């Protein structure tokens, strides 16, 4: 038998140029992803260091939201004292383990807001605790219930859509904890809901604490604002529970401790610093460890991880993968970490094939070695919510420090890292693609020129719109992370002649719109005006891709910023033909979007809110747009299809029919809109086998000429 080896396949992430070109030519054309769906995927799957930059409480609200989400939960034995960043509970109802509350009680110290909340809980059996994230509001809630129930069981409740759904669950004489409930201004917490809850609690003998963000809409209902104890008291509680009052007096005068307390620290950081104080007191470490703590300690730990000759390359690859997929499913980080290892191994020793122990790594040991933790949580997918085992670093700054260190201090790893991120960008999972963009954004903060040359520009110059979206997402996140060179680059690309780069810049501008809406709209409109005057489009002719690009950008800006953009675009409808075409298509796209999870049409709900909230300008602008949609020959069919969907939804939803009952007479006051809408409603009314009753009622509201 011949001993000559067969031709080796290229390593992971590497492909012969001619093969890649042929594969690209033979690949089927991908379906164009909707801009709003792509935006939601970016927000939904972004890592914590990106999410924290946003200012909104919901990624899918119409109102002035930015890239980001909010909320924080607490679970496990790291819950001892304040809550904050530690691992979170499963989003399922269940009794919290008594030993967790016992550990918390050992270090908990009250304060004025705690005593006020406890008094209200004992007399009224329900209290809403409002406070910022990472302030210990959740741990305070557990201690409130522990005290009010005299050490009785405490049950964590699954978060309902409305407080009205809670009374049936409060049927036992125990403490109930509803963590991080959210309510927006369209559906605020109201006093009748609390009265119903209090009545049920008095009947069952239970107590309920609800924690909320300060931004939660509370319709004049009583609440207690959570103000945690001073940092010195928190640190004192942790230290004295371990080494007593004498040990604290011995160490609290150290300069390192005084400097630490002079800063603002999250409760979890205070807890970890207390552990080092205890180690110094017991002679297990010297005072130098206190000086090295915080940022320098994280950097030192990362350096030790990467340069430790005893740590296998496979585990170093996992660390880098976990930095990209921090607070994401462990299985994804592990799977893709193995792929990165293959590339790194090829760099280290091209002649040695990578060997991956398929069943040889114990998950908990691996996480412990990475100073990470795992917990059960849920992941939102396009098919619904699924359970996942999530992995995250114990110190949230580790992920960013690790990626920056690899990129800047270990450039030999760059080729494999770039190939790996490119592979992530082509993954079919939205989470993976989004994390590839966010990792690139972090690398851009460390070395913008290199990240641009190795990743962003190749994506922007690619032939596939999916790669353009990757470049746009990466630039968007880099700008949000403070890279000042992004905006000049976007302005240059937006007015340049390279179509793919122009598309990339337009999409990035639309995503960044809420951070600077006036500037963004000006840039987009100027770019539209500089485009060649479009030829009239026949009804059966496909709309040019360039028009779709600008319409997508305006759609995202319109839904995220709302009235300021709506008003400016409405002014352009009758004055600028070029802008009108793009604005109408953008508004039509926006009308097709729906809220999650109830599926309410975003624009129709916006119209109903404007009428209810006495916002005549918004109501008028939305009506003007709808009149223009129905009157324009290129958009009237699409507009009528949207109305048909709304009418069908109104058959089972009175709120939708009520909004349509106000909108349709306003947009059909003049011909030919009255005839077009009337014809469509009659078709729905008489449609076999399921005629629409709401269409019949709405038809009666139109002018008789329809």
């Amino acid at each position: 038998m011949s001993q000559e080896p067969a031709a080796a396949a290229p390593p992971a992430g590497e492909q012969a140029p001619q093969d890649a070109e042929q594969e690209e030519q033979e690949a089927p054309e991908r379906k164009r992803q909707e801009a709003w769906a792509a935006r939601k995927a970016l927000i939904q799957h972004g890592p914590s260091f990106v999410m924290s930059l946003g200012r909104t409480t919901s990624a899918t609200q119409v109102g002035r939201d930015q890239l980001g989400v909010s909320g924080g939960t607490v679970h496990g034995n790291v819950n001892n004292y304040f809550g904050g960043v530690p691992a979170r509970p499963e989003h399922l109802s269940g009794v919290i383990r008594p030993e967790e509350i016992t550990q918390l009680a050992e270090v908990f110290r009250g304060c004025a807001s705690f005593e006020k909340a406890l008094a209200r809980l004992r007399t009224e059996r329900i209290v809403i605790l409002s406070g910022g994230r990472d302030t210990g509001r959740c741990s305070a809630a557990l201690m409130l219930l522990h005290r009010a129930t005299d050490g009785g069981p405490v049950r964590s409740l699954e978060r309902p859509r409305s407080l009205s759904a809670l009374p049936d669950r409060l049927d036992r004489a125990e403490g109930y904890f509803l963590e991080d409930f959210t309510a927006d201004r369209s559906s605020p917490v109201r006093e009748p809901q609390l009265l119903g809850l209090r009545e049920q609690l008095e009947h069952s003998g239970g107590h309920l604490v609800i924690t909320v963000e300060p931004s939660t809409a509370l319709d004049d209902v009583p609440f207690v604002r959570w103000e945690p104890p001073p940092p010195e008291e928190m640190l004192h509680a942790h230290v004295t529970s371990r080494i007593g009052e004498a040990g604290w007096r011995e160490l609290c005068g150290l300069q390192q401790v005084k400097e630490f307390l002079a800063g603002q620290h999250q409760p979890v950081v205070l807890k970890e610093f207390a552990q080092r104080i205890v180690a110094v007191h017991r002679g297990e470490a010297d005072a130098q460890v206190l000086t090295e703590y915080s940022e320098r300690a994280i950097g030192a730990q990362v350096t030790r991880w990467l340069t430790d000759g005893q740590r296998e390359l496979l585990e170093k690859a996992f660390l880098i993968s976990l930095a990209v997929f921090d607070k994401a499913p462990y299985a994804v980080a592990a799977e893709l970490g193995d792929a990165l290892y293959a590339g790194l191994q090829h760099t280290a020793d091209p002649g040695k094939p990578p060997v991956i122990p398929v069943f040889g790594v114990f998950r908990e040991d691996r996480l412990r070695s990475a100073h990470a933790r795992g917990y059960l949580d849920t992941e939102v997918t396009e098919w619904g919510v699924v359970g996942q085992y999530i992995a995250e670093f114990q110190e949230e700054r580790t992920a960013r420090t690790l990626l920056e260190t690899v990129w800047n201090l270990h450039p030999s790893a760059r080729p494999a890292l770039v190939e790996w991120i490119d592979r992530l960008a082509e993954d079919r999972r939205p989470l993976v693609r989004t994390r590839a963009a966010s990792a690139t954004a972090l690398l851009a903060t460390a070395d913008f020129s290199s990240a641009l040359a190795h990743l962003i520009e190749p994506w922007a110059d690619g032939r596939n719109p999916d790669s353009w979206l990757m470049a746009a997402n990466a630039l968007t996140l880099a700008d949000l992370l403070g890279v000042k060179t992004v905006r000049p680059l976007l302005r240059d690309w937006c007015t340049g002649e390279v179509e793919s780069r122009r598309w990339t810049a337009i999409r990035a501008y639309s995503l960044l719109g809420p951070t600077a809406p006036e500037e963004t709209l000006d840039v987009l409109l100027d770019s539209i005006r500089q485009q060649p005057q479009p030829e009239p489009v026949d009804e059966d002719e496909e709309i040019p891709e360039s028009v779709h690009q600008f319409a997508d950008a305006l759609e995202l800006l319109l839904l995220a910023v709302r009235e300021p953009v709506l008003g400016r675009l409405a002014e352009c409808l009758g004055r600028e033909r070029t802008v009108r075409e793009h604005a109408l298509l953008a508004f039509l796209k926006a009308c097709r979007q729906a809220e999650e999870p109830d599926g309410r049409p975003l624009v129709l709900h916006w119209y109903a809110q404007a009428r209810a909230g006495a916002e005549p300008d918004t109501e008028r602008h939305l009506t003007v747009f709808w009149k223009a949609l129905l009157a324009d020959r290129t958009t009237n069919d699409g507009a009528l299809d949207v109305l048909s969907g709304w009418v069908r939804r109104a058959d089972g939803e009175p709120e939708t029919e009520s909004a349509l009952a106000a909108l349709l007479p306003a947009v059909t006051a003049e011909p030919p809109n009255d005839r077009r809408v009337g014809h469509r409603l009659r078709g729905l009314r008489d449609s076999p086998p399921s005629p629409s009753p709401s269409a019949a009622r709405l038809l009666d509201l139109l002018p008789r000429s329809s």
Side-chain angles (χ1 to χ4, degrees):
M1 181 180 294
S2 173
Q3 299 299 315
E4 184 176 346
E14 190 174 305
Q15 187 178 33
Q18 61 270 27
D19 293 343
E21 184 176 350
Q22 180 180 0
E23 182 178 312
E24 186 173 353
Q25 292 173 352
E26 294 176 355
E29 184 176 352
R30 299 188 186 182
K31 183 179 179 180
R32 194 176 189 280
Q33 187 181 26
E34 289 188 357
W36 190 246
R39 176 185 182 273
K40 288 194 292 185
L42 177 63
I43 295 172
Q44 183 181 94
H45 299 294
S48 60
F49 57 75
V50 172
M51 292 181 186
S52 61
L53 297 171
R55 297 183 304 193
T56 117
T57 59
S58 174
T60 56
Q61 289 177 352
V62 178
R64 303 175 192 269
D65 54 351
Q66 292 188 26
L67 291 167
V69 297
S70 65
T73 53
V74 183
H75 180 60
N77 55 12
V78 292
N79 210 359
N80 53 6
Y81 196 117
F82 308 103
V85 182
R88 57 206 75 174
E90 301 176 49
H91 296 292
L92 299 172
S93 299
V95 175
I96 297 175
R97 293 185 300 169
E99 54 267 29
E100 295 180 12
I101 298 181
T102 300
Q103 293 174 6
L104 176 62
E106 291 176 356
V107 297
F108 188 84
R109 299 296 181 271
C111 57
S113 58
F114 179 83
E115 297 302 329
K116 178 180 179 181
L118 182 59
R120 177 170 295 174
L121 183 62
R122 283 172 170 163
T123 58
E124 301 182 10
R125 293 188 175 271
I126 182 172
V127 65
I128 297 178
L129 199 63
S130 174
R133 286 177 291 167
D134 306 329
T135 60
R137 66 188 181 198
C138 296
S139 293
L142 294 178
M143 287 309 303
L144 286 170
L145 293 168
H146 180 67
R147 300 273 182 88
T149 61
D150 295 325
V154 175
R155 182 175 295 273
S156 175
L157 296 174
E158 183 181 8
R159 195 179 307 161
R161 292 185 182 179
S162 170
L163 291 182
S164 301
L166 275 184
D168 292 340
R169 308 185 197 179
L170 311 178
D171 56 353
R172 305 179 187 179
E174 56 188 18
Y176 293 94
F177 177 30
L178 177 57
E179 184 178 359
D180 298 344
F181 181 74
T182 59
D184 57 28
R185 297 193 178 279
S186 65
S187 182
V189 178
R190 303 184 186 278
E191 187 172 6
Q193 295 172 324
L194 296 189
L195 293 176
L197 291 173
R198 184 178 300 120
E199 181 179 358
Q200 177 61 29
L201 290 166
E202 290 174 348
H203 177 74
S204 64
H207 296 78
L208 170 64
V209 176
I210 304 172
T211 57
V212 298
E213 291 274 350
S215 59
T216 299
L218 304 175
D219 190 15
D220 296 328
V221 300
F223 67 92
V224 175
R225 187 171 301 281
W226 169 246
E227 298 291 344
E232 184 172 358
E233 292 187 17
M234 301 188 216
L235 189 62
H236 172 270
H238 280 288
V239 173
T240 55
S241 68
R242 304 281 295 278
I243 61 176
E245 190 67 35
W248 167 254
R249 287 197 300 268
E250 178 185 335
L251 296 172
C252 67
L254 292 176
Q255 184 64 29
Q256 293 92 334
V257 176
K258 292 180 179 179
E259 291 177 355
F260 180 83
L261 288 173
Q264 297 296 319
H265 300 286
Q266 298 174 357
V268 68
V269 177
L270 291 165
K271 169 181 173 286
E272 293 174 354
F273 189 73
Q275 293 172 346
R276 286 155 179 78
I277 292 178
V278 172
V280 171
H281 175 76
R282 293 175 175 173
E284 299 168 356
D286 57 27
Q288 184 64 23
V289 301
L290 303 179
T291 305
E292 294 176 351
Y293 186 67
S294 198
E295 290 290 349
R296 283 181 294 176
I298 297 170
Q301 179 63 64
V302 166
T303 299
R304 287 194 295 270
W305 279 340
L306 296 176
T307 59
D308 183 5
Q310 301 300 315
R311 184 179 290 268
E312 295 181 359
L313 184 60
L314 177 64
E315 292 311 306
K316 294 178 182 180
F318 171 72
L319 283 169
I320 298 171
S321 181
L322 184 59
V324 174
F325 295 98
D326 189 35
K327 297 181 178 66
Y330 165 84
V332 175
E335 169 204 342
L336 296 173
D338 290 345
L340 175 59
Y341 164 62
L344 292 172
Q345 175 60 47
H346 181 74
T347 299
D349 188 352
K352 180 181 178 181
V355 177
I356 300 173
V358 179
F359 301 109
V361 182
F362 187 55
R363 183 179 65 187
E364 279 65 29
D365 287 345
R366 198 176 209 186
L367 291 176
R368 190 179 303 112
S369 176
H371 291 194
R373 54 177 162 254
Y375 54 89
L376 291 174
D377 205 339
T378 56
E379 179 188 10
V380 180
T381 71
E382 56 187 305
W383 305 280
V385 178
V386 297
Q388 293 281 9
Y389 187 84
I390 305 299
E392 68 176 0
F393 286 111
Q394 292 179 1
E395 167 55 62
E396 63 180 354
R397 293 167 290 182
T398 301
R400 179 169 186 167
T401 303
L402 203 155
L403 286 175
E404 291 177 349
T405 301
V406 170
W407 191 245
N408 279 346
L409 302 185
H410 302 276
S412 296
R414 282 189 177 185
L417 187 61
V418 167
E419 290 180 1
W420 181 67
I421 293 176
D422 264 330
R423 177 173 173 175
L424 303 186
E426 297 175 356
D427 198 283
R428 298 180 67 90
R429 290 165 288 190
L431 166 68
V432 177
R433 297 194 302 271
T434 301
R435 292 305 180 92
S438 62
T440 302
L442 275 181
L443 300 182
T445 67
D447 182 352
F448 180 73
S449 297
S450 295
L452 185 68
H454 285 304
L455 290 164
I456 298 174
E457 283 185 337
W459 286 338
D461 293 337
R463 299 174 59 184
N464 190 329
D466 287 346
S467 69
W468 307 346
L469 179 61
M470 286 297 305
N473 287 347
L475 288 170
T476 298
L477 299 179
D479 181 87
L480 290 175
L481 287 169
V483 180
K484 302 299 183 184
T485 49
V486 170
R487 294 296 177 114
L489 176 75
L490 292 180
R491 283 193 289 271
D492 181 58
W493 284 9
C494 199
T495 56
E497 297 182 358
V498 181
E499 180 183 359
S500 60
R501 292 191 177 190
R502 186 169 62 248
W503 187 100
T504 298
I506 292 168
R507 174 58 62 86
Y509 262 121
S510 63
L511 292 169
L512 290 168
T515 65
E518 292 293 334
E519 173 193 349
T520 302
L521 187 57
D522 287 340
V523 170
L524 291 175
L525 293 180
D526 288 344
S527 299
I528 290 173
R529 293 171 182 131
Q530 292 177 25
Q531 300 302 306
Q533 190 77 358
E535 296 295 328
V537 179
D538 295 333
E539 294 183 20
D540 57 350
E541 188 177 342
E542 188 174 345
I543 297 175
E545 176 62 25
S546 60
V547 176
H548 273 297
Q549 293 171 12
F550 283 108
D552 285 346
L554 292 175
E555 174 201 4
L556 296 184
L557 196 61
L558 178 65
L559 290 178
V561 182
R562 299 183 69 170
E563 174 52 41
V565 174
L566 177 68
R568 293 241 347 236
L569 292 180
E571 293 174 0
C572 296
L573 285 181
R575 299 184 314 191
E576 300 182 64
R577 175 173 167 263
T578 303
V579 174
R580 173 188 173 88
E581 178 182 7
H582 296 81
L584 283 179
L585 183 56
F587 187 76
L588 179 60
K589 289 172 177 282
C591 288
R592 292 172 176 151
Q593 305 306 331
E595 290 189 81
E596 292 182 354
D598 55 12
R600 285 189 304 180
L602 283 171
V603 172
L604 185 60
H605 183 51
W606 183 8
Y607 178 79
Q609 286 179 312
R611 282 184 59 84
E615 301 175 25
D617 289 341
T618 298
E619 185 180 351
R620 175 170 54 84
H621 291 150
L622 290 171
T623 303
V624 166
F625 257 107
W626 260 104
K627 287 181 177 179
L629 279 183
L630 292 169
D632 191 281
R633 62 188 177 87
T634 63
T635 59
N636 56 20
D637 285 344
L640 289 171
D641 289 341
V642 169
L643 280 180
S644 297
W646 290 358
V647 172
R648 284 297 187 185
R649 182 177 179 85
D651 288 336
E653 189 173 88
E655 295 83 358
T656 299
E657 182 174 344
S658 177
L660 286 171
L663 176 65
L664 293 185
V667 301
T668 58
E670 301 173 358
N673 288 351
D674 56 346
R675 294 191 295 274
R676 289 170 174 160
V677 174
H679 178 73
R680 182 59 62 98
L681 289 178
R682 281 190 291 272
L684 292 169
R685 179 195 62 187
D686 303 330
S687 174
S690 56
S692 169
S694 61
R697 292 189 292 268
L698 292 169
L699 190 60
D700 291 339
L701 301 177
L702 301 190
R704 289 303 174 187
S705 60
S706 64

